[in-house]
Amino acid sequence: MGRISRLGNSLYTGERSIDFVGRRWLWYAISAAIVVIAILGLATKGLNYGIEFTGGTQYKVTIADGATQEQADDIREAIGGLGIPNADAPVVSTSGQNSILIQVEELSNAESVKVNQTIQDTLGVTQQDISQDQIGASWGDEVKNRALTGLVVFLILVVLFIWAYFREWKMSAAAIVALAHDVVITVGVYALSGFEVTPATVTGLLTILGFSLYDTVVVFDKIRENTKNLRANRTTYAAAANLAVNQTLVRSINTSLVALIPVGAILYVSAVQLGASSLKDLALALFVGMAAGTYSSIFIATPLLVHIKSNETEIVMAERRAKARARREADRYASVPAFTEDMPIGSDPDTGPGRGGVLVEERDDFDDDDFDEPGEEVGPRRPAPAPEAMGRGRTVPTSQRPVGRSSASGRQQPTRQPKSKRK
């Protein structure tokens, strides 16, 4: 068995455990710092909307011999070096085998003529091979409105689904907070990096919501399985939830790595080798969103769920029972009651076997019924007094010491006088 397999098995069985729930304030602080940085970047730099949202000019160049990526790189450098503010960062990509698309912001007539002439000189084409289109911002506004509508509908369906599946609105709240966490971080990365926001970005943003939700639902399902009966399992909600995260940890990491490796490869090729492409916008949203979704399902969703459920009566009682068991295990004699004159028969600590009775064994464990209601005094209940001996011709001898129940019979064993002394 490999090292990863052994680690996963020890985490699943509880032999090894990482305290995700107990350190929740540390995870909250880390997430809060990341979210604050993302919000500051969004507020100071803002988003770099693409031509589809702001409007601009698009040139489509047809090359009879076939378009190559080298030609796209050359025309990008040539147009970027013209010194035109709205064309200093053109978006250039190949379209099919014989076309190159060039997108810039809105240009004046003189600037448009200059860009057109640069395309002809760099690629060796004529004016007939170049088609020019103006893109208005109205279509981008429609895309934004549709994206916001889809996001709202998605969040409503997520809340209803989790509430119907788990019958727990607090799980829905924790999942929504984790989703918001992922969206804010992804948008903040776009603002800080300066990547363009295009319709492909919107598609990637909506995709990562589903990925993050999938990972969170898997963890929540394991939590529900582990917390079905806290009284019978003799554990707390926090411990059971933390065990669920450890049991799904290796699966979450493996799933995320399998998804992030190809997305990272696409991001590298599109951003470094292709320079500018719609693939870059889609890949960045997917990469950041998947990484944030994995983090939130482990470090945010589950600790937050335990936090908001910590005041429920059943969970509070489970915590009290766990603390009582911990005190007893630390000092098993701490729960022995002090001697009093009115103690029941068999409770005298000086009583021992062979001295007129059988010593009543101490309780080895606290029963869960000892802590049924909040505020009830923690401690073992006193055993019921032993029944008196009954029956014709039998008398109970004078007790020299407390008498316990005999292990040889289900009733007390009285003594009888010899025949010579009977009347």
Side-chain angles (χ1 to χ4, degrees):
M1 184 182 296
R3 181 179 300 178
I4 300 298
S5 299
R6 290 195 300 270
L7 175 61
N9 183 69
S10 60
L11 291 174
Y12 191 89
T13 57
E15 180 182 349
R16 297 180 62 181
S17 179
I18 303 175
D19 191 8
F20 295 103
V21 174
R23 300 177 180 175
R24 58 177 177 265
W25 291 109
L26 174 61
W27 317 134
Y28 292 166
I30 294 175
S31 296
I34 297 175
V35 169
V36 167
I37 293 174
I39 293 176
L40 289 177
L42 184 61
T44 55
K45 299 187 64 174
L47 294 175
N48 181 22
Y49 290 102
I51 189 176
E52 295 85 358
F53 295 101
T54 61
T57 305
Q58 176 175 283
Y59 301 90
K60 183 175 182 181
V61 184
T62 303
I63 303 176
D65 296 337
T68 63
Q69 185 60 41
E70 289 78 7
Q71 292 175 321
D73 295 338
D74 293 340
I75 195 61
R76 182 185 304 109
E77 294 178 1
I79 295 176
L82 292 176
I84 301 175
N86 289 346
D88 57 351
V91 178
V92 183
S93 60
T94 57
S95 177
Q97 296 181 350
N98 300 319
S99 300
I100 294 178
L101 291 179
I102 305 167
Q103 295 178 343
V104 294
E105 299 180 13
E106 293 185 4
L107 303 176
S108 63
N109 292 333
E111 292 173 342
S112 179
V113 172
K114 190 175 182 179
V115 170
N116 202 319
Q117 186 62 44
T118 302
I119 295 174
Q120 297 180 40
D121 297 340
T122 304
L123 298 179
V125 297
T126 63
Q127 182 62 41
Q128 296 179 351
D129 297 325
I130 303 175
S131 61
Q132 179 177 341
D133 298 319
Q134 292 295 126
I135 299 177
S138 59
W139 184 77
D141 293 335
E142 183 179 354
V143 171
K144 287 190 290 186
N145 295 333
R146 294 292 179 87
L148 291 176
T149 302
L151 179 61
V152 172
V153 172
F154 178 83
L155 294 179
I156 293 175
L157 293 178
V158 165
V159 172
L160 294 177
F161 167 75
I162 296 181
W163 176 81
Y165 184 72
F166 294 106
R167 302 296 177 88
E168 178 62 72
W169 69 266
K170 294 181 179 179
M171 286 188 172
S172 298
I176 291 300
V177 171
L179 287 178
H181 169 272
D182 302 338
V183 172
V184 171
I185 291 179
T186 304
V187 174
V189 169
Y190 263 89
L192 293 172
S193 64
F195 275 43
E196 285 191 344
V197 177
T198 64
T201 304
V202 177
T203 302
L205 190 64
L206 295 176
T207 303
I208 64 173
L209 298 179
F211 183 88
S212 176
L213 177 65
Y214 164 75
D215 214 16
T216 302
V217 167
V218 169
V219 178
F220 280 2
D221 191 60
K222 194 63 179 178
I223 292 175
R224 184 180 64 169
E225 178 183 342
N226 290 353
T227 58
K228 281 184 178 179
N229 193 343
L230 296 177
R231 182 184 291 267
N233 295 334
R234 304 178 67 81
T235 186
T236 64
Y237 191 90
N242 192 75
L243 176 62
V245 178
N246 281 273
Q247 289 174 331
T248 57
L249 179 62
V250 174
R251 185 213 62 84
S252 298
I253 294 176
N254 290 340
T255 303
S256 301
L257 288 178
V258 169
L260 287 175
I261 289 175
V263 173
I266 295 174
L267 179 60
Y268 173 78
V269 171
S270 59
V272 177
Q273 296 185 353
L274 299 181
S277 172
S278 58
L279 284 177
K280 178 186 67 175
D281 307 325
L282 176 63
L284 180 63
L286 290 178
F287 188 87
V288 176
M290 287 180 178
T294 303
Y295 172 84
S296 65
S297 64
I298 297 174
F299 296 95
I300 300 299
T302 301
L304 181 61
L305 174 64
V306 175
H307 193 175
I308 61 181
K309 287 177 66 69
S310 59
N311 292 328
E312 295 183 3
T313 302
E314 182 181 358
I315 296 176
V316 171
M317 297 310 303
E319 293 284 348
R320 291 187 178 182
R321 291 192 293 267
K323 291 179 180 179
R325 286 193 294 269
R327 286 195 300 267
R328 186 193 67 252
E329 292 174 359
D331 185 2
R332 298 189 63 85
Y333 295 100
S335 59
V336 177
F339 176 77
T340 58
E341 295 295 338
D342 58 346
M343 291 185 70
I345 296 176
S347 298
D348 190 347
D350 294 333
T351 303
R355 298 176 60 187
V358 179
L359 178 64
V360 177
E361 296 181 355
E362 291 184 278
R363 292 182 62 182
D364 181 62
D365 194 4
F366 287 125
D367 189 5
D368 291 337
D369 293 335
D370 293 337
F371 310 97
D372 288 336
E373 298 295 336
E376 184 179 349
E377 184 179 354
V378 177
R381 295 177 178 176
R382 294 180 177 179
E388 296 182 359
M390 299 180 62
R392 187 175 180 180
R394 301 190 180 192
T395 60
V396 180
T398 302
S399 177
Q400 300 296 327
R401 59 182 60 84
V403 180
R405 185 175 295 276
S406 172
S407 60
S409 175
R411 59 182 176 82
Q412 300 291 340
Q413 300 295 322
T415 59
R416 300 184 64 183
Q417 295 179 350
K419 289 185 177 181
S420 59
K421 296 184 178 180
R422 295 181 189 172
K423 296 182 180 179

